[in-house]
Amino acid sequence: MKEMITKIPQHVALILDGNGRWALQRDLPRTKGHEEGIKTLAEIVKEARNLGIKCLTAYAFSTDNFKREKYEVDYLMYKAEEYFLEYLKKAPNDSKYHLNIIGEKTNLSPRLIELINQINEMKFESELEFNLAFNYGSQEEITNAVKKIAALVEHKKLDINQIDKDLITQNLYTSKCPPVDLVIRTSGEQRLSNYLLWQISYSELYFTTTYWPDFSVEEFHKALVNYSLRERRFGKEHA
Ligand code: IPE
Ligand code: IPE
Ligand code: MG
């Protein structure tokens, strides 16, 4: 399968979905699905780097996921803290990627905010830029970009005519990465759930019914083979 990957996307965005249903199917608590899902993510991050993908963005927790039951939210917050601490122990020397946590700070504990700030302040070169979308919402991200730009105009640091697509792109949380080439969503849902709405204008979309904890390196390769066969036109005529 791997030999059939002829095009490596520069930026892949994952919507890790189906952890809860994976657990339910096995009569396990939803949190068990998240535990397995975290292991899957580690494998896929490793493989993304092996394949030479430059940017990987993973949707781990949306701003709307706070609507879930407290025990599940608490568990996800706890796992995030554990993962951030682990990363801080290793980075930069021992880290296989540069981590950038994208999303809102509202509703997060001071402890988590502190860890996120520490991680995001670490600047070093790495083969893989890994954006973890945590407490993330695309409409919130775009709103923040608009506010930042409006403040510049208000303080006469920017003329309104200087506002263009590039300036908006630069004011998003993913400014270090090129536009998303490929979106992969697991679990059979075919929607975007407020994810990277600006960055995916010309992305290829790939949906699989596999639940995220069951998503494997082989399935990742399958998605990339599928992507390799797509003809991207960006508005040009059909070949
Ligand atoms: C994705 O799995 C992980 C998060 C949103 C945190 P879900 O928890 O959404 O799993 P389902 O969709 O309920 O099966
Ligand atoms: C989207 O999944 C968010 C993440 C994968 C973190 P959801 O499971 O929350 O999305 P909906 O509610 O099915 O749209
Ligand atoms: Mg879901």
Side-chain angles (χ1 to χ4, degrees):
M1 180 67 80
K2 197 175 167 183
E3 327 69 67
M4 287 159 73
I5 305 172
T6 53
K7 273 196 287 186
I8 297 289
Q10 287 198 64
H11 187 174
V12 175
L14 303 168
I15 304 178
L16 337 165
D17 200 10
N19 290 352
R21 278 163 283 170
W22 180 92
L24 213 70
Q25 228 179 23
R26 288 162 178 76
D27 250 339
L28 296 166
R30 292 177 57 84
T31 47
K32 187 69 190 158
H34 296 313
E35 188 184 333
E36 288 307 307
I38 292 164
K39 292 183 201 158
T40 304
L41 183 59
E43 290 303 309
I44 300 304
V45 173
K46 217 191 299 169
E47 185 59 11
R49 187 176 187 267
N50 289 341
L51 291 166
I53 290 168
K54 296 277 169 271
C55 281
L56 184 73
T57 303
Y59 207 1
F61 192 87
S62 77
T63 49
D64 290 322
N65 288 149
F66 273 110
K67 294 174 188 162
R68 296 186 180 198
E69 281 192 39
K70 189 174 179 301
Y71 90 95
E72 185 174 346
V73 172
D74 285 351
Y75 180 82
L76 289 165
M77 294 296 139
Y78 164 76
K79 286 310 243 186
E81 185 169 326
E82 189 179 67
Y83 168 62
F84 297 159
L85 282 169
E86 200 54 41
Y87 178 81
L88 279 168
K89 260 195 243 158
K90 287 194 202 147
N93 298 336
D94 241 2
S95 178
K96 302 272 186 279
Y97 52 84
H98 179 263
L99 178 63
N100 181 35
I101 299 150
I102 64 171
E104 305 309 306
K105 302 278 164 57
T106 38
N107 296 323
L108 297 182
S109 70
R111 169 100 188 116
L112 263 176
I113 295 172
E114 169 62 25
L115 293 174
I116 292 171
N117 288 342
Q118 267 188 52
I119 290 172
N120 287 349
E121 276 159 22
M122 289 177 92
K123 308 267 183 261
F124 60 92
E125 286 306 310
S126 177
E127 282 171 38
L128 177 69
E129 177 75 6
F130 177 37
N131 298 309
L132 187 74
F134 181 73
N135 195 21
Y136 174 87
S138 180
Q139 291 180 337
E140 288 85 339
E141 178 186 33
I142 294 169
T143 306
N144 284 334
V146 170
K147 279 189 190 160
K148 274 193 263 173
I149 295 168
L152 292 174
V153 174
E154 188 180 33
H155 295 110
K156 308 241 181 296
K157 297 213 168 83
L158 184 78
D159 185 84
I160 203 157
N161 294 312
Q162 289 173 290
I163 301 174
D164 59 9
K165 289 193 267 188
D166 284 345
L167 186 73
I168 294 172
T169 304
Q170 283 157 23
N171 278 282
L172 297 176
Y173 304 142
T174 51
S175 58
K176 276 204 202 149
C177 291
V180 174
D181 296 303
L182 172 67
V183 176
I184 300 174
R185 182 167 189 155
T186 55
S187 92
E189 308 300 352
Q190 302 195 2
R191 58 173 167 266
L192 295 164
S193 306
N194 200 16
Y195 193 42
L196 304 173
L197 302 176
W198 177 277
Q199 298 90 331
I200 59 161
S201 328
Y202 270 105
S203 301
E204 298 297 325
L205 307 178
Y206 180 88
F207 299 103
T208 167
T209 53
T210 303
Y211 292 146
W212 177 254
D214 285 332
F215 191 77
S216 58
V217 165
E218 289 70 37
E219 287 227 33
F220 189 32
H221 290 167
K222 201 169 134 192
L224 294 169
V225 169
N226 185 292
Y227 170 81
S228 299
L229 298 171
R230 307 261 182 116
E231 190 202 339
R232 302 184 75 191
R233 287 193 285 280
F234 300 97
K236 290 188 201 142
E237 74 279 11
H238 199 293

